[in-house]
Structure formats: C-alpha cells, structure tokens
Amino acid sequence: MGKTKIDKIEWMPIPNISDYEVSTVGSIRRSSPGKSTRVGRKLRLQITADGYCFVMIRRRKVKVYRAMLEAFVGPAPDGCEGRHLDGIPGHNILSNLAWGTRLDQREDDRRNGVQRRRSDCLAPGSVRAIRNALGTLREVGQRFGVSHTTVHKIRAGLRYSDVG
C-alpha cells in the first residue's frame, strides 16, 4: 500500500462524547481538563481481533473510524455502516472512510480482493473433515480457514449439528 500524503491534520469534537476530539488521521485526544487525562494528550489506540482500532473512554469502547465519520461527515444515514474503502480496518485516514450500505462494503471487498471469513457457510464435507481432523483447534482452524472457536463449536455439536 502506498503512503497517503497528509497536508494538514484537523481536529473535531466527537459527537455525544464531551471533552474529546478526533483527528483526520485517526488520533483521539482529550480536549478539556479532566481528572485522569492531560489535555491534548493522544489516547492509546487498541486493536480488536479483526483489526479495528478503538479507544476506551469512560469505560466505553469507541471505534476510531466511527468517531471520525460522525465528527467529520455526520451521523450514519439509515441502513448505512462505516466503510474502509481500501478494505484495511486499521487504515483510519478520513479520505479512506465513508458511510455506505452492506452491498457497498461487499463491492469494496471484491474490488480490494478482501475475503471475509464466512464460517457459517462451510460445505458438509468440510464440516465432517473438521470433526475428524487431527491437531489442535488452532491448527485445524488454520488448515480449513476458520477460527479455532468455530472448530470447537463444530466438534462440540454447537454448529452444523444437522451435518451427519
């Protein structure tokens, strides 16, 4: 992926979260004095298992891309969700974000060559093979392109119990 040129970093207040701001490059900071956080200091970003950045504010998980879209673009239109146009969930640059429908997201994924895991659509032969495969849950999951949790649920009969 090429580098994105940033001319100027702008900050906007995060709607519905008083005293915090988000930048056009995905940083979040406290904007007014508080008990636990110095003004202007950027909060430490954390990353979810599927690659999305978030911060904790008042014991609440705030997704960075969503805060950016709400601050700079406005609230999500009905039936829309946040999209990373390049398909990379941790690439939080304002020019890479947009509101769109689930169909828009699928088209982005297709264009970017992103394949989302869909463990809910395994072929019956794969389910039987997972049940009989040797190795740890993680090893089997990697072999079949599913999570170790999915392997556990299949083996415990919690998923695909209808497959003989």
Side-chain angles (χ1 to χ4, degrees), residues 49-95:
D50 49 357
Y52 291 90
C53 298
F54 70 95
V55 295
M56 294 301 293
I57 298 177
R58 299 184 190 114
R59 297 187 189 141
R60 186 175 135 205
K61 186 186 285 188
V62 177
K63 294 177 182 175
V64 173
Y65 77 91
R66 188 163 188 89
M68 291 174 70
L69 284 168
E70 289 175 352
F72 289 98
V73 179
D78 286 342
C80 289
E81 55 189 40
R83 298 165 42 213
H84 286 83
L85 302 176
D86 64 359
I88 303 170
H91 187 209
N92 294 309
I93 302 294
L94 188 58
S95 61

Side-chain angles (χ1 to χ4, degrees), residues 1-7 24-25 86 91 93-96:
M1 180 179 82
K3 294 200 178 220
T4 305
K5 184 175 184 267
I6 313 280
D7 292 327
T24 51
V25 294
D86 64 359
H91 187 209
I93 302 294
L94 188 58
S95 61
N96 184 48

Side-chain angles (χ1 to χ4, degrees), residues 21-134:
E21 299 174 318
V22 64
S23 77
T24 51
V25 294
S27 297
I28 293 181
R29 69 182 181 190
R30 180 94 186 203
S31 60
S32 64
K35 296 178 184 175
S36 61
T37 308
R38 292 193 326 246
V39 174
R41 188 182 71 153
K42 294 177 188 172
L43 276 61
R44 185 174 63 97
L45 295 179
Q46 300 178 59
I47 301 174
T48 64
D50 49 357
Y52 291 90
C53 298
F54 70 95
V55 295
M56 294 301 293
I57 298 177
R58 299 184 190 114
R59 297 187 189 141
R60 186 175 135 205
K61 186 186 285 188
V62 177
K63 294 177 182 175
V64 173
Y65 77 91
R66 188 163 188 89
M68 291 174 70
L69 284 168
E70 289 175 352
F72 289 98
V73 179
D78 286 342
C80 289
E81 55 189 40
R83 298 165 42 213
H84 286 83
L85 302 176
D86 64 359
I88 303 170
H91 187 209
N92 294 309
I93 302 294
L94 188 58
S95 61
N96 184 48
L97 302 175
W99 294 120
T101 64
R102 180 75 42 104
L103 179 60
D104 294 330
Q105 182 67 51
R106 284 193 201 122
E107 289 172 3
D108 291 344
D109 290 347
R110 202 173 307 117
R111 184 182 67 248
N112 295 314
V114 173
Q115 297 212 355
R116 307 237 180 240
R117 281 190 180 171
R118 292 275 320 220
S119 60
D120 58 339
C121 58
L122 289 170
S126 295
V127 173
R128 286 188 284 275
I130 288 171
R131 283 193 189 123
N132 299 322
L134 299 176

